[in-house]
DNA sequence: CTCCTAATAGTGCATATACATTATATGGCG
DNA sequence: CGCCATATAATGTATATGCACTATTAGGAG
């Protein structure tokens, strides 16, 4: 019976996409963190700043939505970027929203980070193949989209009682 | 020129596998967290307990390696599982390692969590297709493996000066 | 048998993440 | 023109993550 559990556990560990998604995200984040470390930048900070640069003047809520991150998480992450004077945030609490943009020093930092990212990206492409990497990225995006409607709020609707 | 940056930023945001991996991991983790919430369990805790159940008596280092997580992270995560009496850890500091196993109450909790996981898994399979989900899981595993040798320690070897 | 090297666990610090809740301001309704 | 419902931001609490460093101990060298 112990052996049955053991087998069941092994099967789940081997099949769970959530576990694998977290492990993969950790691994690639460690890699990018190491790449950006000389610049004093983390992988997530780089992603956020790129997101802001791609849509200057977007609000915090809009960025949170496009990044698939909770607004309270983003609020704090933006605060650390503001402390370092890489990002400017205009407007505070209230209905008009907080508009985000890069500062001059933020742009300068990104201009140094871009070649680092490209080098990391080229290394990955070389390892996995460009096609494989593209396909994987799209498949991950599809999973994120597929799982979104199942998220916390909308979950009670889809829920059957469960045995 | 501003527009050039904007375009470059958009391309990077759309191409970066790290960003997508994190967003996907966040999304599926939110989903599983919501599923397990009634049991007082998080997605990561579930994964760790399944990993322990799949290899009872394995050491902390072994589990950390198979989960692709830093040993210091795992050390703390295991501590919260110990506090709840779901996991037993024998042996402390020193060269013999810390051997992990599930307690009776940990096994009982997992027996309640398994049907929840299976339901969540079936829902995902239905949304994406079983094949697609399997392929995605394997591709993510390949990326994790490909990126591992590029991790912090071994990074300085592969590094070219960079422009 | 003793010592000491190296493998292992844990701490300090910082960032990241999200739910529950509170604080705030604004756009529209009366 | 004033009020207020609601969208938005931020805070409280808890977990998760990893690097730099410290503490501990077992296994081997002598």
């Amino acid at each position: 019976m112990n052996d049955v559990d053991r087998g069941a556990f092994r099967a789940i560990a081997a099949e769970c996409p959530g576990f694998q998604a977290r492990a993969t995200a950790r691994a690639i984040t460690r890699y990018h963190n190491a790449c950006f470390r000389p610049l004093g930048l983390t992988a997530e900070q780089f992603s956020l700043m790129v997101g802001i640069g791609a849509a200057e003047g977007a609000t915090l809520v809009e960025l949170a939505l496009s990044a698939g991150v909770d607004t309270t998480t983003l609020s704090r992450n933006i605060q650390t970027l503001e402390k370092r004077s890489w990002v400017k945030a205009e407007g505070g609490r209230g209905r008009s929203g907080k508009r985000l943009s890069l500062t001059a020093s933020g742009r300068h930092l990104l201009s140094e980070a871009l070649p680092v990212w490209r080098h990391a990206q080229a290394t990955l492409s070389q390892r996995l193949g460009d096609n494989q990497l593209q396909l994987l990225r799209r498949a991950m995006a599809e999973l994120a989209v597929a799982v979104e409607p199942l998220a916390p709020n909308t979950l009670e609707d889809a829920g059957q009682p469960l045995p």
Side-chain angles (χ1 to χ4, degrees), chain A:
Chain A
M1 178 166 99
N2 235 337
D3 261 15
V4 173
D5 289 359
R6 208 182 178 85
F9 291 150
R10 282 187 180 157
I12 289 170
E15 284 174 31
C16 184
F19 166 73
Q20 190 58 62
R22 280 189 295 278
T24 301
R26 283 193 294 259
I28 194 166
T29 299
R30 277 194 298 265
Y31 172 46
H32 276 143
N33 278 343
C35 294
F36 292 135
R37 174 167 296 264
L39 299 174
L41 192 67
T42 69
E44 179 61 17
Q45 287 165 359
F46 173 78
S47 290
L48 287 183
M49 289 178 69
V50 165
I52 293 172
E56 294 251 347
T59 66
L60 195 150
V61 167
E62 289 164 350
L63 182 60
L65 205 62
S66 80
V69 71
D70 193 85
T71 56
T72 67
T73 299
L74 186 59
S75 179
R76 281 183 244 244
N77 290 353
I78 292 294
Q79 278 169 27
T80 76
L81 297 179
E82 275 187 280
K83 272 187 220 146
R84 287 162 174 71
S85 302
W86 293 334
V87 162
K88 188 177 58 172
E90 296 179 300
R93 278 167 152 148
R95 207 153 168 162
S96 55
K98 192 169 205 171
R99 307 211 107 84
L100 305 170
S101 55
L102 297 176
T103 65
S105 84
R107 278 184 179 276
H108 179 256
L109 177 65
L110 270 192
S111 76
E112 292 182 320
L114 285 194
V116 177
W117 180 84
R118 290 205 182 95
H119 182 261
Q121 184 73 358
T123 304
L124 278 185
S125 279
Q126 197 181 349
R127 292 233 161 199
L128 281 184
D130 218 33
N131 260 357
Q132 167 84 349
L133 197 57
Q134 289 287 329
L135 287 174
L136 171 55
R137 205 193 43 70
R138 278 177 210 152
M140 289 191 294
E142 280 175 35
L143 175 55
V145 167
V147 125
E148 200 166 2
L150 304 173
N153 342 350
T154 45
L155 197 64
E156 55 268 22
D157 312 324
Q160 304 172 25
L162 281 177

